[in-house]
Amino acid sequence: LFTDPIECVFSFTMSSWRPPPSSGSHHYGRFAPPPPPPPPNGTVNTHDANKQNQQEQSYSNGAGNSTRFVPPTPMPSTTASHNVLHSNSSIPPPPHMPGGSGVGVGGPPHPPPPRHPHPPPPFAGELPPPPGPPGHYPPPPGGHSMPPPRGGPPGAPSVGPPPPHPSHPPPPPHPTIASMTRSYPSPARSSQQLHPPPPTTAQSQSQPQQQQPQYIPRSKPKPKIDPAQIPRAPIFTRPQSQKDEPIPIYYPSRALSLDKVVPPPLADSRFLVEDDGNASPQLIRSTLYAIPKDSYFARRTGIDMGLLCTPLAIHSQDTIPRPIQMPTTTTTNDTSNNADIHHTLQDRNKDPQRISVLQINDNGVGIVPKCPVCHVYANPFWTATTCNFCRSSHRHVDIGGMPLQYGTVEYEVGGPYITRVTPAQPVHVYALDASLPQLELHIQLLQNVGIYMAQQYNYSMSASSQQQQQQQQYQRQSLSRNRQQPSQPTLLRPRIGCCIVAHTGLYMVYCKKANRNGGGDNNANAKGDDLELALTLMSDITDDPFCPLPPESWTCDMGTDSGVREYNQVMSKMYEMLKPLLTPKQPSSSKSNKVQPNPSAGGAALAILANVLEHTGGKATYITHTRPNRGIGSIRDREQKSLTIYTKSDRERELYTPIQLLQESSATHPDPSAAQFYTNLGNQCVKDRVSLNVYFVTRAQPSTFLDIATLSEVCRVTGGKLHWIRGNSRWPEQLQEELLRNALDVDSGSDAIFKVRCSEGIQVKSYMTASGITVDNVLGDSPEIELSNVGAQTCIGVELEHRVGGMPKAVNHAYFQSVLLYTTSTGKRRLRVSTMGLRASVDPAQIFRSADFSAVTAMLTRHAIAHVWKKRPEEEHGRVLEGARKDVGDRCEKILSNYRMYTSAKNSPPGQLILPETLQLLPLYCMCLLKSSMFRPSLPKRESGVRVNHPSPSGDERAYSLHHGAGIHPALSLLQVHPNIFSVSELKPNDGDVGEWHIPSFEDRPTTEMELAAHHPFIKMPRSIHPSITCLEEDGIYLIDDGLSIILCIGQNVSGEVKQELLEKDELGNVIVSPRTDYGQRVLRLVWQMRIFCSIGTGTESSTLRPTYPPIIAVFSGSEKQDTYYKELVLNAMVHDSTTDEDDYVEFLCGLHRKIRDTVSAKS
């Protein structure tokens, strides 16, 4: 019940049944607290309860400011009349039993019985297993099984499902999704599952003798919460549900001036920001918007002070972004609305949130005005004579009439800000592993990348003149006229090249002619008939790899027509020329049947790519399907496809921790030579402004160890990307899109330096799992980060702490300034400065109200990952993963315990779990984080008695999740661990407007670009469902978004007509969503809207924050031909269900409440 948004309370009422007459004691669940003492008269005083509710309501209207969920008072019944249990009280029957009242003892009413007379089968179409011997029910296969009944016959334990009914259909002959799971429930835990729907009244009357004995309890009862009242994850990323609601506009400076602390909209919500003198939360997001004044008050909350900085999340004013292809709009029934959508999409491509660009002087050479004491740049919080950071005078600082009304501004600088003679050039070089399956197809994909790169350049050139006019008009309206405007950017022509690397040598195909640079006439060699191809082979690359040719000789200029023709000619003939040389020799006969991995000189390939870009800088990409295992940089197989290593925590840690971060000595280090090689490679690439990207293209279940962890560390340090594309049928589309996103990322920067400064009393403690290399400042100022590449997805976590003594008493605000010095894709040197002001507080309740859920969870994830990567001395025997899991639980319990002890929530009854309004979903997030592939155990517990054939997750899977979690943006923190599930079973033309375009209506005609952008069209999303296997129907179709992929889950009982309308086969025989039918088009539009979730901006200028391009993976329930990996994706997404290692959501809350109560009791 959502009453007053002040406090969130769960009333834990425990059901207890009288034991047999021979016993004289009560039995409680394992999370149940001891029964409260009965009132003097043996009953519950209704007046006192009402008085208590009035007191809580009065607090709700005061300073508590949290949301209160109070279960409804149960209706009086002849069998259940008290909330307090007594040893001499009559025992009521369970709810929905013959003779029961339908209301739990002291608890909320249970959901109504189902319409069908028997419990429905599980999602996978399986029937519950038949009953075994008396007193024994075997556990069903699958970690997400159907829950057991509430009781059983006399003498039998209350575990296992009821016997199947004769009316049920026979079980399916093939395995289903529920039977293919990563972890299995043990018999000891079966009684802790959720209960199935109880029988209806008709069923109980038709079979009174058979049904009633099954519900006589014989096991220990458990505490119960009404599942309908616990916090569930709302879909903040979903566009507004009402058709006529515009996008909300947030004003950060106006929010700072309010009497009440108002945190910004959630990071994964849909909102716009008007820069009114305070930095946008899309660029800097704080965990707290009321900063504790000193460490004493910070300890009373338990929430870590931190910032999540995404400095390039919003485009600069002169950026020409890559056009985004919009989905079709031809199926809308309202033709007039359809025309409005087309017109609106064309007219609203301008993002009003763009960052203004200023030039210091006519020549672009000058010094940005800053404080002479603390070196903070001029910002809107400066007074006429005083710096807001150090409170020193800046009277002698020449601002020069600079307008200081924007929280974020970008300066076009030169002179001392240019640290290199030549800026980094847009050079893209690719290396393909010669052992790649379908090598010819990979070459074709790279050829397409070059074509798109040339089209992007031509598009940018044609739009540059119009863009310049728009910039000048925008700045004349918003900035002072006496400031110099930035000069029109000169686009640098991109270059691209490709080579093949094998363990036998380096193969380079290039065009041999007199004038290769394309600097002459573009019409020369128009026919391309005189292009002569040459082949260069360097055989010895295993020990000292380098590139034998300069980059100008084998890369093509994609800014000229001749360069485009050269590249197409080279790529079309490359495979034909190299096929005789790359044909593998037949292996000699051997008695050993051990599978040998494909030879790969991956270390040499990365070294060659870095050597190519040594003087120019740029982006280097290596595409492979296995780890480096030949020559320099070879990595030994530390997994060896053995389950034994996963039983040893110290050995398992070596699989998901980069070998560069292992702190063991050289004598015990698993691979010291490889660790030294990749450490030096990363440092050298940062020095040379080279960004390394690695793409793995493998089967769903790779046959060998990939060592994702080691190569991901190289990508993280150099500011590159690591992607693992696992053998789905649409992998070429996914690989090409990933390559295009990296190659056409025009709003990214290179040769960057990032820094954060804090006001008095606060300092930077560390950068949490940030990209680049951290450099400590010798002057005692905050450290800096050097980055080879920075983009819209680059999110840097900053951990803050109080200085000795805290903030001065006379200071009521805290200020933070992030500075990014970088080079744009056009070769301009820019300085982007973002200044954020926050309120200071000494009230714990106000601090809790100011907490930002997205930022808190993102920092919590980074802390846990840092715990995994950096072994602590007290953690012996390598139990780092267990320590990280414990750290997550301890942080959650500490925050909620402090809220209970140091706010007015301490006056609430101890039997209630009270959550802050802004952190209602913190327990859910922590539970899902522990169940994610980052932190869940790879093998089930020994006491479960379950045996598995492969670990889940494997070392590579865990390393891949940790890599993306280390740089997670607040907008994706919840989605990464808690999937969004949408039912698309009813998307027909007459089934509503889900999957269609909508334009919010205008009450008053918009007068500004911001108001116009607030009415941008969007696609209506369906309602989401809980990620539980009990919520999936066998005849349903669902879209599951887990952050890295989008799963189209098709139930086994879906009719053939529906499948034919939704799906079709492409030219290669792969199953895809049909773009020809109305049903398929609606689903594709929903997928498009899901892919731009967590995007900043509107229209075709949106900067997506997703780390990967999520493919559509079709999973068919009951299909034995499909790999179990895809079925495990569905089961792992059911995070609300219990497994062998974790409880379900309800029991997790029970255990958390017990810990909080114990902590509060110990400190009271």
Side-chain angles (χ1 to χ4, degrees):
L1 296 177
F2 293 80
T3 55
D4 190 14
I6 301 299
E7 198 169 64
C8 170
V9 178
F10 303 107
S11 179
F12 281 26
T13 57
M14 292 168 289
S15 303
S16 179
W17 314 110
R18 179 184 290 271
S22 59
S23 174
S25 62
H26 288 284
H27 297 275
Y28 298 96
R30 60 182 181 130
F31 292 143
N41 56 0
T43 59
V44 176
N45 192 328
T46 307
H47 174 73
D48 293 342
N50 295 335
K51 181 179 180 180
Q52 175 184 343
N53 292 335
Q54 294 175 1
Q55 294 175 353
E56 295 175 353
Q57 184 68 21
S58 63
Y59 159 68
S60 301
N61 296 329
N65 194 26
S66 45
T67 305
R68 179 178 295 274
F69 296 83
V70 181
T73 305
M75 297 298 294
S77 173
T78 57
T79 57
S81 58
H82 304 295
N83 286 350
V84 183
L85 304 177
H86 308 284
S87 59
N88 58 353
S89 60
S90 59
I91 305 302
H96 298 298
M97 281 185 52
S101 63
V103 179
V105 179
H110 289 262
R115 292 175 294 180
H116 42 75
H118 305 289
F123 164 71
E126 294 183 319
L127 287 177
H136 170 73
Y137 288 89
H144 306 277
S145 57
M146 285 296 292
R150 296 182 182 271
S158 60
V159 296
H165 193 271
S167 63
H168 285 177
H174 301 304
T176 57
I177 290 180
S179 63
M180 308 300 295
T181 180
R182 57 171 176 84
S183 55
Y184 300 81
S186 61
R189 290 179 54 85
S190 298
S191 60
Q192 300 172 12
Q193 309 292 331
L194 295 176
H195 298 295
T200 60
T201 306
Q203 179 181 357
S204 60
Q205 292 177 357
S206 60
Q207 298 179 358
Q209 300 299 329
Q210 289 81 359
Q211 295 293 333
Q212 184 170 351
Q214 292 186 0
Y215 292 91
I216 298 178
R218 293 298 180 185
S219 62
K220 295 182 179 181
K222 304 181 304 180
K224 290 296 172 187
I225 322 172
D226 183 7
Q229 294 187 0
I230 61 178
R232 304 285 182 176
I235 308 303
F236 303 120
T237 53
R238 183 176 59 196
Q240 58 271 21
S241 58
Q242 300 297 328
K243 181 177 180 180
D244 295 333
E245 290 184 3
I247 302 175
I249 302 175
Y250 176 69
Y251 300 87
S253 183
R254 187 182 305 176
L256 182 63
S257 62
L258 298 177
D259 295 336
K260 181 180 179 182
V261 177
V262 179
L266 291 169
D268 53 358
S269 61
R270 197 166 181 251
F271 66 99
L272 297 173
V273 179
E274 178 75 40
D275 190 346
D276 57 349
N278 204 356
S280 169
Q282 296 172 341
L283 299 175
I284 306 179
R285 185 171 286 268
S286 176
T287 57
L288 296 172
Y289 282 81
I291 300 296
K293 274 206 166 184
D294 54 34
S295 58
Y296 172 78
F297 296 103
R299 289 192 300 269
R300 287 201 162 206
T301 61
I303 304 176
D304 295 320
M305 295 191 304
L307 304 175
L308 278 303
C309 301
T310 314
L312 291 184
I314 301 179
H315 297 300
S316 300
Q317 189 176 347
D318 57 350
T319 301
I320 303 176
R322 172 194 173 193
I324 301 177
Q325 184 178 2
M326 310 294 283
T328 178
T329 61
T330 58
T331 60
T332 306
N333 295 331
D334 187 357
T335 56
S336 60
N337 187 34
N338 190 34
D340 292 340
I341 292 173
H342 280 288
H343 178 73
T344 304
L345 293 177
Q346 296 295 329
D347 293 346
R348 301 184 189 176
N349 294 337
K350 179 69 176 181
D351 186 3
Q353 302 177 111
R354 286 189 167 213
I355 305 301
S356 302
V357 181
L358 302 179
Q359 189 172 346
I360 298 303
N361 53 34
D362 295 342
N363 299 324
V365 179
I367 302 298
V368 180
K370 60 182 178 180
C371 176
V373 177
C374 63
H375 307 289
V376 167
Y377 291 99
N379 60 83
F381 297 100
W382 271 16
T383 63
T385 59
T386 307
C387 172
N388 58 312
F389 276 72
C390 62
R391 297 187 295 172
S392 61
S393 175
H394 60 75
R395 293 184 178 181
H396 301 290
V397 178
D398 181 17
I399 300 180
M402 180 181 300
L404 300 179
Q405 71 258 33
Y406 294 110
T408 300
V409 67
E410 193 164 282
Y411 301 95
E412 187 172 312
V413 297
Y417 296 97
I418 297 179
T419 58
R420 304 179 190 273
V421 178
T422 58
Q425 302 296 311
V427 182
H428 303 263
V429 290
Y430 298 87
L432 294 175
D433 191 343
S435 62
L436 271 170
Q438 301 182 354
L439 179 61
E440 184 178 8
L441 180 56
H442 287 80
I443 296 176
Q444 294 176 1
L445 295 178
L446 289 180
Q447 183 178 1
N448 296 338
V449 171
I451 296 174
Y452 281 108
M453 187 179 298
Q455 294 177 355
Q456 171 69 18
Y457 177 80
N458 295 331
Y459 168 78
S460 301
M461 288 294 295
S462 62
S464 59
S465 178
Q466 180 181 2
Q467 182 73 19
Q468 181 69 11
Q469 296 176 1
Q470 294 177 356
Q471 291 174 7
Q472 294 176 356
Q473 181 181 2
Y474 179 79
Q475 291 188 353
R476 283 195 298 268
Q477 297 175 356
S478 58
L479 301 178
S480 298
R481 297 178 180 270
N482 59 347
R483 298 300 304 166
Q484 279 288 337
Q485 310 301 328
S487 59
Q488 183 174 356
T490 302
L491 300 179
L492 299 178
R493 294 184 301 198
R495 302 186 68 90
I496 186 173
C498 178
C499 62
I500 308 296
V501 179
H503 71 287
T504 57
L506 170 66
Y507 303 87
M508 307 177 69
V509 178
Y510 59 95
C511 186
K512 182 180 180 181
K513 69 173 187 176
N515 186 14
R516 291 202 72 264
N517 55 16
D521 185 9
N522 289 343
N523 295 326
N525 303 325
K527 297 182 180 179
D529 298 335
D530 57 344
L531 297 180
E532 180 182 355
L533 299 183
L535 171 64
T536 296
L537 169 62
M538 187 176 67
S539 59
D540 188 10
I541 63 171
T542 56
D543 296 330
D544 187 16
F546 66 94
C547 181
L549 300 175
E552 295 82 6
S553 62
W554 63 281
T555 59
C556 301
D557 187 351
M558 305 308 291
T560 62
D561 295 339
S562 59
V564 175
R565 288 193 300 271
E566 289 177 13
Y567 185 72
N568 289 333
Q569 184 77 4
V570 168
M571 300 303 291
S572 59
K573 299 295 184 181
M574 178 179 291
Y575 184 76
E576 181 180 349
M577 295 177 62
L578 298 180
K579 184 177 180 180
L581 302 177
L582 299 178
T583 303
K585 298 180 180 179
Q586 295 295 332
S588 58
S589 58
S590 175
K591 296 181 180 180
S592 176
N593 295 328
K594 185 178 179 180
V595 178
Q596 298 293 335
N598 294 315
S600 173
L606 293 174
I608 292 173
L609 294 175
N611 179 256
V612 171
L613 304 177
E614 180 180 3
H615 301 289
T616 62
K619 296 182 179 180
T621 303
Y622 176 55
I623 305 176
T624 183
H625 68 121
T626 185
R627 74 180 186 281
N629 51 41
R630 293 291 190 277
I632 189 172
S634 62
I635 305 173
R636 67 180 185 88
D637 187 359
R638 301 191 300 274
E639 184 186 45
Q640 299 178 354
K641 288 300 176 180
S642 173
L643 290 177
T644 305
I645 194 173
Y646 289 93
T647 61
K648 304 175 182 179
S649 300
D650 53 342
R651 296 289 305 279
E652 182 187 3
R653 177 174 176 263
E654 299 175 358
L655 302 180
Y656 55 79
T657 303
I659 58 177
Q660 304 95 309
L661 302 182
L662 293 177
Q663 301 175 0
E664 286 79 359
S665 62
S666 58
T668 59
H669 197 284
D671 206 339
S673 59
Q676 188 64 34
F677 169 78
Y678 288 106
T679 300
N680 297 337
L681 178 64
N683 295 337
Q684 187 64 34
C685 287
V686 174
K687 181 180 178 181
D688 297 335
R689 303 160 295 173
V690 177
S691 174
L692 292 180
N693 307 275
V694 179
Y695 293 79
F696 284 96
V697 183
T698 68
R699 298 182 300 177
Q701 297 290 349
S703 59
T704 183
F705 177 58
L706 302 178
D707 202 355
I708 297 285
T710 298
L711 297 180
S712 68
E713 178 66 10
V714 177
C715 299
R716 186 191 68 84
V717 170
T718 62
K721 299 179 180 180
L722 181 134
H723 297 293
W724 186 6
I725 300 174
R726 307 182 68 171
N728 59 83
S729 60
R730 306 294 296 177
W731 71 265
E733 173 190 355
Q734 183 183 1
L735 176 59
Q736 179 168 303
E737 184 62 30
E738 296 288 5
L739 293 172
L740 290 176
R741 290 178 61 180
N742 188 34
L744 306 182
D745 191 9
V746 295
D747 57 344
S748 63
S750 60
D751 192 13
I753 299 176
F754 178 80
K755 188 181 185 69
V756 171
R757 292 185 174 93
C758 310
S759 60
E760 290 181 292
I762 304 175
Q763 64 183 0
V764 174
K765 181 179 181 181
S766 64
Y767 292 109
M768 300 297 299
T769 60
S771 301
I773 298 178
T774 303
V775 179
D776 293 331
N777 196 315
V778 295
L779 300 179
D781 198 0
S782 57
E784 299 175 350
I785 299 180
E786 296 182 357
L787 304 104
S788 299
N789 183 74
V790 58
Q793 296 86 15
T794 303
C795 183
I796 302 174
V798 185
E799 186 179 12
L800 306 175
E801 65 179 357
H802 286 95
R803 295 180 183 267
V804 177
M807 300 174 59
K809 294 183 179 180
V811 175
N812 296 322
H813 292 85
Y815 301 96
F816 306 93
Q817 187 176 88
S818 69
V819 181
L820 179 70
L821 179 64
Y822 73 105
T823 303
T824 66
S825 59
T826 59
K828 298 294 183 179
R829 197 66 171 164
R830 296 287 176 82
L831 182 71
R832 177 172 290 197
V833 180
S834 299
T835 307
M836 179 177 64
L838 300 178
R839 188 174 310 182
S841 177
V842 296
D843 181 11
Q846 187 182 48
I847 297 174
F848 273 105
R849 286 195 300 269
S850 71
D852 186 281
F853 172 77
S854 304
V856 169
T857 53
M859 289 296 293
L860 187 147
T861 304
R862 290 169 184 258
H863 275 288
I865 294 176
H867 190 121
V868 170
W869 283 350
K870 297 180 181 179
K871 181 180 178 181
R872 300 184 179 182
E874 64 271 14
E875 293 173 342
E876 300 179 355
H877 307 295
R879 297 189 177 275
V880 180
L881 187 63
E882 291 83 351
R885 289 169 54 84
K886 183 178 182 299
D887 183 65
V888 172
D890 291 345
R891 288 178 182 271
C892 178
E893 183 267 332
K894 180 181 178 180
I895 293 174
L896 300 182
S897 298
N898 288 342
Y899 181 76
R900 187 60 182 259
M901 292 186 296
Y902 301 119
T903 66
S904 54
K906 60 185 178 182
N907 300 324
S908 301
Q912 294 176 337
L913 174 60
I914 305 177
L915 303 177
E917 177 193 6
T918 56
L919 300 177
Q920 297 175 23
L921 300 180
L922 182 62
L924 175 63
Y925 181 87
C926 293
M927 182 198 69
C928 296
L929 184 63
L930 297 178
K931 291 182 179 181
S932 68
S933 56
M934 289 185 285
F935 298 105
R936 72 169 182 261
S938 297
L939 299 177
K941 297 179 180 180
R942 292 183 178 180
E943 55 268 21
S944 65
V946 178
R947 296 182 179 181
V948 295
N949 297 325
H950 64 276
S952 178
S954 64
D956 287 324
E957 292 172 342
R958 192 187 303 279
Y960 188 65
S961 299
L962 291 174
H963 170 72
H964 288 294
I968 195 65
H969 190 276
L972 292 168
S973 59
L974 182 61
L975 181 61
Q976 187 186 33
V977 299
H978 188 283
N980 291 340
I981 303 180
F982 303 96
S983 176
V984 294
S985 305
E986 301 294 336
L987 297 184
K988 300 299 177 61
N990 298 326
D991 292 334
D993 51 3
V994 174
E996 296 289 357
W997 283 98
H998 296 284
I999 303 178
S1001 60
F1002 300 98
E1003 294 183 0
D1004 298 324
R1005 193 65 185 174
T1007 58
T1008 63
E1009 291 184 355
M1010 185 67 68
E1011 294 178 355
L1012 186 65
H1015 294 79
H1016 195 275
F1018 67 95
I1019 294 176
K1020 183 70 173 293
M1021 298 295 295
R1023 289 186 175 273
S1024 62
I1025 61 178
H1026 300 320
S1028 173
I1029 200 70
T1030 58
C1031 296
L1032 304 184
E1033 300 292 340
E1034 190 59 32
D1035 58 351
I1037 303 176
Y1038 305 92
L1039 284 174
I1040 304 176
D1041 182 9
D1042 62 0
L1044 297 179
S1045 59
I1046 296 177
I1047 305 168
L1048 180 63
C1049 185
I1050 303 173
Q1052 187 177 7
N1053 296 338
V1054 175
S1055 63
E1057 293 79 5
V1058 175
K1059 292 181 181 179
Q1060 187 176 4
E1061 185 180 3
L1062 176 62
L1063 305 173
E1064 67 177 25
K1065 290 187 177 181
D1066 59 6
E1067 61 277 2
L1068 300 179
N1070 301 320
V1071 177
I1072 62 173
V1073 179
S1074 175
R1076 309 174 188 274
T1077 63
D1078 179 84
Y1079 192 7
Q1081 288 182 7
R1082 287 197 177 199
V1083 172
L1084 290 177
R1085 283 194 291 269
L1086 295 177
V1087 171
W1088 180 87
Q1089 184 70 68
M1090 295 166 69
R1091 282 172 175 165
I1092 67 169
F1093 273 169
C1094 311
S1095 297
I1096 291 177
T1098 58
T1100 57
E1101 289 192 4
S1102 298
S1103 297
T1104 178
L1105 300 177
R1106 283 182 180 266
T1108 63
Y1109 175 81
I1112 303 177
I1113 302 176
V1115 176
F1116 296 87
S1117 173
S1119 174
E1120 64 177 1
K1121 298 180 181 180
Q1122 199 162 26
D1123 198 298
T1124 58
Y1125 162 74
Y1126 303 110
K1127 301 174 183 178
E1128 289 181 357
L1129 286 178
V1130 178
L1131 294 173
N1132 293 334
M1134 304 297 118
V1135 292
H1136 281 201
D1137 297 336
S1138 61
T1139 64
T1140 56
D1141 305 298
E1142 297 294 336
D1143 294 326
D1144 58 21
Y1145 188 21
V1146 176
E1147 292 193 3
F1148 182 84
L1149 286 174
C1150 294
L1152 179 63
H1153 179 232
R1154 184 186 63 175
K1155 294 179 181 179
I1156 295 174
R1157 189 186 55 207
D1158 295 342
T1159 300
V1160 173
S1161 300
K1163 294 185 178 182
S1164 60

